[in-house]
Structure formats: C-alpha cells, structure tokens
Amino acid sequence: MNVMDVSSVLNEFESALLSDSGTESFTENPVIEHDSEHSEDSSVCDLDSSKCIRKCNVQTHILDKEVSVDEDILAVPLEPIRTHVVTEPSCGTPLVFEDNDTQIFNNNFPKFQDQLTLPSILRTQSPSSTTNRKVSFPEGDMELATYREPENSSPWTINQYLPPEKILQIYQASCKQHKTIELDAIKNTILDIKNNTNRSAVLNLSMITITNEVNETLEDILRVANFRTLVLYECKFTAETISEFLNMLEYYESISDIEVSMNFDETAWKCFCNACTNILVLESISFRGMVINENYMRMLLNVVKNNIGIATLKFDACMLIKLPSFYLVENLMTNTTLCELYLPSTGLYTKEADCLGRFLRKNLSLKVLDISNNFIGDRGLEVLAKGLTKQTISGCGLSVLIVFNNQITEKSGPIISDIISECRNLHTLNVGFNNLTDEVIANIGPSLEVTTSLEGLGLQCTLLTCKGIDFLSNAIENNTSLQKINLKGNKAIQVGGLERLCQALTSSKIFKIEIDETNRSAQDPQAYVQLVKKMNAICTVNKAFKESKESNSDEIANVSQMVSRKMSLSCEPRYVIPSTPATTVQTESPVMSSRSSRNRFEITKVHDSTARPISRFKVTRVISSSDEDLSVGKFASVRSSVSSNDSVDSLQLDTDQE
C-alpha cells in the first residue's frame, strides 16, 4: 500500500481528493476497501471512494457507470514521500514505514539498517532483486587477480583401455536407459574397435536416422572411445539433432577425419563449419557426391583458414564452383597449412588445369594433388606442368601428382618427361588409364635414368606392348630411385617383354610391380604365369635387401618414404561426367575411391625391421659385404627354383600387406 502525504492539497475539502482527467470510467466502488489502521486526523490519506465522491460533488450515473468532475475542482497530482524498504532474509516480505517511524524501526532491526533502499512507485520490487551477492576484487589498484589453471587441461582425453565387449555393454545400458533400440551398425562399429585410446577406429553412421535418443547413446560412446574417422553417408538428421550431434563432436574432440555424403541446408552447413573450426584434433575433411556452391565454399575455406590442424581436403565427385575462376584454389594460393587436395571426378577441364598451374607456382606447401577422372587432356597437362616445373626449391613443393584417366595421349610424352626430370620434389606420378602408347615410354626413358626422386610410377592401362617394356627395362636398369611400378591392364605384353623386365629388375631397387597375374592374350599363358611369379620373387628379394639396409628406427626418415607408404598407384577409372547434381549423386558408386582410409597408414608407424626376422629370408644370410658380390649372388635361389611353384611361393611375400 502506498503511503502519501496529501495535507498540502486539502484546501477546502476535509478528506483526500481522488483526481482524474474525467475521461476514465470505473465502478461504483473503484478502490478495494481495506481496514485502515490510521485515525481521522492522521496524515495518511484514507482513500474511501464514497467520501471522495461526496466531498467533490461528483455527478454519477449508476447505470452508465460514468463519472464527471468539474475542472475547477481538480487538484494538483499527489506526490509521494520518501520511504524505505528492507527485506528480512527469513521471509523476503517488504517492510514499509514512514520517515517519522525510522527511529522505531532502527531500534528494533539495527542489523538491516544498511539495506535500506528507495523503491519504485510504478511496480512492486521483486524478491529476487534483493538477493545478496558478494564479489571480491584485489584491494590494490596494481594487484592482479590470480587465476588457477584446471588440473586436467584435456578433460576428455581417454587413457584407460576398455575392451570392445565393455564398450558394447555401455552402449546397451545407454539404449536401455534412453528407451531406444540397439542399432546393429553401431554395435558392429564398437566390436571393430581394437584400441579405444589411439584414434584408430572408424565410427560409421551411414544410413542411420539420428534422433535425440540416438544422440544420447552416441555421447556415452564418445566418453569412453576415440575414433580416427567419422563416416556420415546419407544420414538423416533433424535441425535439432544435427546441431546437438556436431556440438558433441566439438566438445569431446574424438574425431580426426570426417567423411560426409549428405545434403545440408544453410543452417546445418553453418553448424558443421563451426564444429570443424573448433575441433582442434581434426585433420581431414572429405566430401562425396555433394553440391558445394560459392557460399558454402566460402564458409568452408574459412574453416581451413582458422583451423590450422586441417591438412587434407577431398572433394570426390562433387559439384564445385569453378568459373569465371576456380574459386577453391584461388583462395588457397597463400595457404600454408593444407598439404593434400583431392579433386577426383569434379569435372575439371583445361581452364581449371591452368588455374591449378598458377596455384602450384605460388603455393609450395601442397604435397599431394589428385585430379584423377577428369578431362584436362594434353593441353591441360601442359599448363599444369608449367607451374609444377617452377617448383625448384628442394624439399618444398608437390610430392604426389595423380592425373589418372584424364584423356591424355602420346602427344604429352615430352611434357611427362619434363615433369620427371625437372621436378626434384616429385616422388609419385600416376598417369595410368591414358592413351600413352610405347612412344611415351620412349620419351620418358632418358628422364627415368637421371631422376633421383621418383619412386612410384603408374602406367596401368596405357596400351603398352613388349616394345614399350623394353624401353622401360633399359631405363630402370640405370635408375636408382624407382621402387614401385604399376603395369596392370596392359594385355599386349607378351612373354618376351616379361623376360626382359625380370632381367632388368635384378639390377634395380624395385620391390613391387603390379601386373596382371594371368593373360589370356599371351601366346603362352602358362609361361606368362611362371614369369609373373619369378618377377614377384625378385621383388621380394629386393624388398628384403632394402629392409636390411634400413635403420631400426620406427620413424619415417623423409617425405619420400612417407609418400611411398601412403600413396597407392592403384586407381579405378570413372567415366561419368558430373554435369548436374542429380547425375552426380545417382550415378557415382558409393565406394570411396583411390585414397585409402588414414587408419591403415597409422599402423605402418609400428613397422620395424626387427619385426620380420631376417632369418626368414635365407638369401640375405649369404649376402656379401660388397655391392658387386650382392648383384651376382642374391638371386641365385630365385633362378634355381622358378620351375617349382611351391618354392617360388615360399619366397614371395604378400605385397598387399604393405
């Protein structure tokens, strides 16, 4: 109840005057009656409606409920007096009193005297506004406030090993708690976990509908297991669940690689980019069969710019913004963190190849470029090579170039030769599934003899004959760097060509040759099979000799070894032109192409020459200390046992286990 002093305005009336503009209507008794605790001679106004109306000669009409007041009797608006409000902590009820009663209150409640405040007359003060809060600051102006670092800077680092069966029990208990069914895809993923602490497992959520309950169960898994790769192919989210799911990935930081093939609206794409920016352990982002317009690409490039941990971008069979300039590479010109760029089946032509050539002139940080299954042709390879051959700084520049299936012909022989001889940093070149013919091998032969960096060469399905194999054999006899060659799909190679190749391999360092194991087009299919086995046996000996020369260190010594272990010369051709988004999504195979998943290559770090006892390769025990004796004696066992299939198989390693 508001307490007011109206003595100053009671000139000719005995009681208080309730004034109004005369335009407002109210009921017969507009003020709720309360028992007054004040006497008639008190200064407190008793707002009795009947007295106010009677004293002011107010004319009323009961039925119409109208009131009219003469303007000459309107009084000055009432003014409030200063009052104080305190709140007793035990009940929180405001106590109202007048100034003349302050002394009485102070005598009774001295401990609340410092809490007196001036209330608002427009609204009631909420009890929550009187809650006591204390904030402490340093006493001195020059004194700094102390900050205590958290005891565990990475609260979600998983250090405790859990077997897959235990993680499965956690998932099943979570499904029961959140009343959702157990998904076989997630259960199979859990059972494939070999180690929940080293980011080696794959979390495959393809074709799963992600609900709030599924999110809850996934969170319980992320609490106890780290993953290398997250696969999201055609997953079904709602606007709420995708935001929650991406927030979980950002919070737990348990994913290093993300592979995505699904549709995003703009809101979901922003949420995805925001999560990728903040996941500090993220290293790779792969998209497949998606339409990425300029706006989406701009946000994605900001992710790559802000998160320096992202070293790999892959756009497999994606529709990208290209013209009038190749927007992607134009904005990556000065980037120094991206190391691998994959653009297979993205509809690249000569103009895009020219843009990539200008990119390679300025950017020396990119190590891997894959533009397989495109349409750059001879002219595109030429403009690309102009930029690539400008990378002359040792250790800086492209290490892997894949131009597999790009409509390149024998006219590009001199260009390929220049790439091999002038690019001192290039370690892997794959020009397979192009119409190169024997003429190209004749052109690149001299370059293969002088190169000291090239270790992998892909020549699969290039229309080679025995003549081309003869050119290649002459080159590898004088080469000191080649280690892997892919010759699959060249059905015109006959027994004579294989015999010449086997002879050349004994003088080389090549330890892996991929070639068709059988060839019905050969004049003598049985002899062809025997020579292929002999060739594999020679490669096995070369590999054993290489391992015996390597140090026992587990670390990869240089970039060339890293690339040779990581990259494969095996690719699958595609002939689909990604002209429209619908065509791209529907016609492409759902299987991931050339590049294998990263977790395969993480395991190779534990490779040690001592893991494979040298005694297993009996031929290495009789190796002479001199290189001259080695070239003569190390293949003696191979030559004496080529007539026996069993003996050859005993010398052969499974080359696919590399």
Side-chain angles (χ1 to χ4, degrees):
M1 181 177 68
N2 292 333
V3 181
M4 303 179 182
D5 186 3
V6 295
S7 58
S8 59
V9 297
L10 296 178
N11 297 327
E12 53 182 321
F13 306 107
E14 296 179 359
S15 59
L17 175 65
L18 179 65
S19 62
D20 192 74
S21 62
T23 60
E24 184 176 347
S25 61
F26 52 88
T27 59
E28 182 179 356
N29 189 10
V31 180
I32 300 176
E33 295 182 359
H34 298 281
D35 294 333
S36 176
E37 298 179 357
H38 304 279
S39 60
E40 292 182 0
D41 56 349
S42 174
S43 60
V44 180
C45 178
D46 188 2
L47 298 180
D48 187 84
S49 60
S50 60
K51 292 182 180 180
C52 290
I53 296 175
R54 185 177 64 254
K55 294 293 183 180
C56 297
N57 296 326
V58 179
Q59 299 178 0
T60 62
H61 193 283
I62 301 294
L63 297 179
D64 294 339
K65 297 183 180 180
E66 294 180 354
V67 177
S68 62
V69 182
D70 296 336
E71 293 183 359
D72 56 348
I73 64 174
L74 292 177
V76 180
L78 303 180
E79 296 292 339
I81 64 173
R82 183 180 180 84
T83 61
H84 302 285
V85 174
V86 297
T87 302
E88 188 176 356
S90 60
C91 59
T93 305
L95 302 177
V96 183
F97 57 91
E98 299 177 78
D99 284 342
N100 54 4
D101 295 331
T102 302
Q103 186 62 35
I104 299 175
F105 179 83
N106 290 340
N107 294 334
N108 296 328
F109 303 94
K111 61 180 179 179
F112 303 121
Q113 187 174 2
D114 295 334
Q115 302 179 8
L116 301 180
T117 57
L118 181 64
S120 170
I121 62 173
L122 301 179
R123 60 184 179 271
T124 304
Q125 188 175 13
S126 62
S128 60
S129 63
T130 61
T131 304
N132 296 329
R133 294 190 178 185
K134 294 182 179 181
V135 180
S136 59
F137 295 94
E139 295 180 357
D141 295 338
M142 302 302 294
E143 183 180 354
L144 294 177
T146 59
Y147 173 74
R148 182 180 179 183
E149 293 288 345
E151 296 180 357
N152 186 1
S153 58
S154 301
W156 295 114
T157 300
I158 300 174
N159 298 319
Q160 181 183 2
Y161 170 77
L162 290 178
E165 295 77 13
K166 180 63 177 178
I167 301 176
L168 181 60
Q169 291 176 5
I170 294 174
Y171 171 69
Q172 292 173 337
S174 179
C175 291
K176 184 177 181 180
Q177 176 184 357
H178 299 290
K179 299 180 181 180
T180 183
I181 61 173
E182 300 175 7
L183 299 176
D184 291 338
I186 297 180
K187 292 169 65 176
N188 294 334
T189 296
I190 293 174
L191 293 176
D192 289 338
I193 298 176
K194 304 302 181 183
N195 191 329
N196 63 308
T197 64
N198 64 355
R199 301 185 188 278
S200 60
V202 177
L203 180 59
N204 193 337
L205 302 180
S206 299
M207 309 298 293
I208 293 179
T209 300
I210 308 296
T211 62
N212 290 324
E213 292 76 16
V214 173
N215 268 339
E216 296 289 345
T217 59
L218 289 175
E219 182 176 8
D220 290 335
I221 297 175
L222 294 177
R223 287 173 178 168
V224 296
N226 283 325
F227 296 90
R228 160 61 64 177
T229 305
L230 169 67
V231 182
L232 299 176
Y233 286 173
E234 300 301 329
C235 296
K236 297 180 181 179
F237 291 88
T238 64
E240 179 184 358
T241 58
I242 191 171
S243 176
E244 194 70 21
F245 177 76
L246 294 172
N247 288 339
M248 284 194 310
L249 294 182
E250 178 182 343
Y251 183 76
Y252 289 100
E253 291 191 340
S254 59
I255 301 297
S256 296
D257 303 339
I258 298 180
E259 298 179 4
V260 184
S261 178
M262 54 182 291
N263 295 322
F264 285 99
D265 58 20
E266 187 170 356
T267 302
W269 183 262
K270 288 181 179 179
C271 188
F272 174 80
C273 291
N274 183 66
C276 291
T277 301
N278 297 322
I279 300 177
L280 301 182
V281 297
L282 188 62
E283 299 175 1
S284 171
I285 306 177
S286 300
F287 303 98
R288 187 184 181 282
M290 296 176 59
V291 179
I292 303 179
N293 57 34
E294 184 175 353
N295 187 32
Y296 283 18
M297 184 64 72
R298 185 180 295 108
M299 289 187 281
L300 181 63
L301 291 173
N302 286 332
V303 172
V304 178
K305 178 181 178 181
N306 296 326
N307 190 342
I308 61 175
I310 298 176
T312 302
L313 272 183
K314 184 173 183 179
F315 303 91
D316 187 1
C318 292
M319 290 293 296
L320 307 178
I321 181 70
K322 303 184 190 68
L323 300 177
S325 63
F326 199 175
Y327 186 84
L328 172 65
V329 297
E330 286 287 345
N331 287 271
L332 292 175
M333 286 285 188
T334 58
N335 182 278
T336 58
T337 59
L338 192 68
C339 296
E340 302 178 19
L341 180 61
Y342 297 83
L343 299 168
S345 306
T346 51
L348 304 183
Y349 290 87
T350 303
K351 292 183 178 180
E352 289 75 37
D354 180 60
C355 188
L356 285 168
R358 290 186 286 107
F359 170 81
L360 294 175
R361 288 184 182 182
K362 298 182 179 180
N363 189 298
L364 300 179
S365 301
L366 193 69
K367 300 299 181 184
V368 178
L369 178 61
D370 181 359
I371 54 173
S372 59
N373 295 300
N374 284 295
F375 315 95
I376 66 171
D378 297 322
R379 176 58 181 166
L381 183 62
E382 180 181 0
V383 295
L384 182 67
K386 288 182 179 179
L388 183 60
T389 53
K390 298 297 182 181
Q391 297 183 347
T392 57
I393 302 176
S394 179
C396 299
L398 205 64
S399 296
V400 178
L401 176 62
I402 302 177
V403 287
F404 178 92
N405 189 26
N406 263 278
Q407 299 182 357
I408 301 172
T409 67
E410 67 275 2
K411 296 179 181 179
S412 296
I415 299 173
I416 299 175
S417 178
D418 291 341
I419 292 175
I420 294 174
S421 61
E422 297 182 21
C423 297
R424 305 295 178 86
N425 300 309
L426 193 65
H427 299 102
T428 301
L429 176 64
N430 192 339
V431 291
F433 258 94
N434 291 294
N435 299 325
L436 302 184
T437 69
D438 298 332
E439 183 178 351
V440 172
I441 307 301
N443 288 326
I444 68 175
S447 297
L448 289 176
E449 294 181 6
V450 299
T451 181
T452 58
S453 62
L454 191 67
E455 297 180 356
L457 179 63
L459 295 171
Q460 61 271 41
C461 296
T462 49
L463 306 180
L464 299 185
T465 65
C466 290
K467 183 179 179 180
I469 294 299
D470 187 58
F471 291 141
L472 181 63
S473 300
N474 294 333
I476 64 178
E477 283 180 334
N478 300 316
N479 179 274
T480 59
S481 62
L482 273 175
Q483 298 178 5
K484 298 180 182 180
I485 297 178
N486 191 334
L487 295 173
K488 282 189 173 183
N490 292 288
K491 299 295 184 180
I493 299 177
Q494 299 294 323
V495 173
L498 292 186
E499 290 179 344
R500 177 69 183 94
L501 189 57
C502 287
Q503 181 183 358
L505 288 177
T506 59
S507 302
S508 71
K509 294 183 178 180
I510 297 176
F511 61 83
K512 183 175 182 179
I513 283 197
E514 298 183 50
I515 193 169
D516 297 325
E517 296 182 357
T518 60
N519 186 1
R520 294 182 179 179
S521 301
Q523 297 174 354
D524 188 349
Q526 293 297 328
Y528 180 94
V529 172
Q530 293 297 322
L531 286 171
V532 170
K533 291 183 177 181
K534 178 181 178 180
M535 186 184 306
N536 290 332
I538 295 173
C539 290
T540 298
V541 175
N542 285 341
K543 183 175 182 180
F545 176 67
K546 175 178 177 294
E547 291 177 350
S548 67
K549 291 294 185 181
E550 288 181 349
S551 65
N552 294 331
S553 174
D554 290 338
E555 297 296 330
I556 297 177
N558 51 48
V559 175
S560 94
Q561 290 182 358
M562 179 183 68
V563 170
S564 64
R565 295 186 183 205
K566 181 177 182 179
M567 296 304 301
S568 173
L569 295 176
S570 301
C571 299
E572 295 297 330
R574 299 176 184 174
Y575 302 100
V576 178
I577 300 177
S579 56
T580 62
T583 304
T584 303
V585 175
Q586 294 176 1
T587 58
E588 292 292 339
S589 171
V591 181
M592 299 298 293
S593 67
S594 60
R595 187 186 173 209
S596 303
S597 59
R598 276 178 174 262
N599 59 309
R600 289 182 57 197
F601 303 105
E602 287 295 326
I603 301 174
T604 61
K605 286 190 176 182
V606 302
H607 171 70
D608 189 354
S609 59
T610 60
R612 295 180 178 179
I614 299 179
S615 59
R616 182 179 178 184
F617 309 105
K618 296 180 180 180
V619 66
T620 61
R621 291 296 186 184
V622 296
I623 293 177
S624 174
S625 58
S626 62
D627 295 338
E628 292 80 3
D629 295 337
L630 184 64
S631 62
V632 177
K634 66 177 181 177
F635 298 105
S637 299
V638 176
R639 293 191 181 96
S640 62
S641 61
V642 291
S643 60
S644 171
N645 294 340
D646 294 337
S647 3
V648 173
D649 292 337
S650 65
L651 291 173
Q652 183 177 356
L653 290 177
D654 187 1
T655 57
D656 293 333
Q657 292 180 354
E658 291 185 359

